Amino acid sequence: EEKDMDFPRNMVQETKALNVFHQTGFMLDVKNLRFILPEEEKIYEFLTEDIEYYMNKFEVLITDRFKTKQIIKPKMESLGVKVENDLLSIDLSHIQIDPEELESMMEQYRLKKKYHRLKNGAFVDLEQNEELRFMDQLVTGMDLTSQDLKQKEIVLPVNRTLYLNQLLKGMQGTEVIKNQEYREIVQELEQETIDKPIILPHHLQADLRYYQKIGYQWLQVLDHYHFGGILADDMGLGKTIQILAILLAYQQSCKNEEQTDEYG
């Protein structure tokens, strides 16, 4: 502003300060005698990076309204998962994201954007965010929609349990609450934890190799929990004999049930 001053101006320092404003994207609003950041991306950069430089270099005074322009990372304090009546239930009620903004936020996340701007002016950091990565993998891997995520509880077929368990391993800062039935299913489905003896059906007129026995046991577990499964060994490795063993075990199981019903 052009006016008489009662003290000498330091034009060198003023020029350096103006250069700082220009370098960080500020533009001069001549009419209102102020500098403004008109670009949304520059505002985000200012809030995440440049503000620290300004605070180290100048005395910075901020308004209450400026305090609302914060960078937030949506957090999921806890997540409940349970299996009941052959259904998998996921409780999403504790995620700190407005359901009405979730769809647009997820779209920006999939486009690899750095941030999403909320309706109140705050920014959501979309980079290296475990919660959003979990939500995205939940949608894409389980054929859900953004509308499904707006529900406090998602109910899925129980055969999605193993996939969900893999996703939960990446949720380091979230308390995951699992019911007993869910824990039992995961424990048995995790192949490396299966150490019980493999009992082949009687009257099976074949000697199964070790990997064929493992395949047989794996199919038995899937059948027990009413899961679908695919036996995808290479040609010549004995898929047929494994399936025949499964059918024979199933036949014997049905006979045992009939005898139990007959004799009480």
Side-chain angles (χ1 to χ4, degrees), residues 99-110:
E100 298 303 319
E101 302 211 45
L102 183 58
E103 183 174 0
S104 57
M105 188 185 306
M106 295 299 297
E107 289 177 357
Q108 297 296 308
Y109 175 81
R110 294 188 189 105

Side-chain angles (χ1 to χ4, degrees), residues 131-146:
E131 284 76 7
L132 289 178
R133 182 173 65 251
F134 170 79
M135 299 290 278
D136 182 56
Q137 292 174 332
L138 193 65
V139 169
T140 56
M142 297 195 178
D143 197 25
L144 300 175
T145 67
S146 298

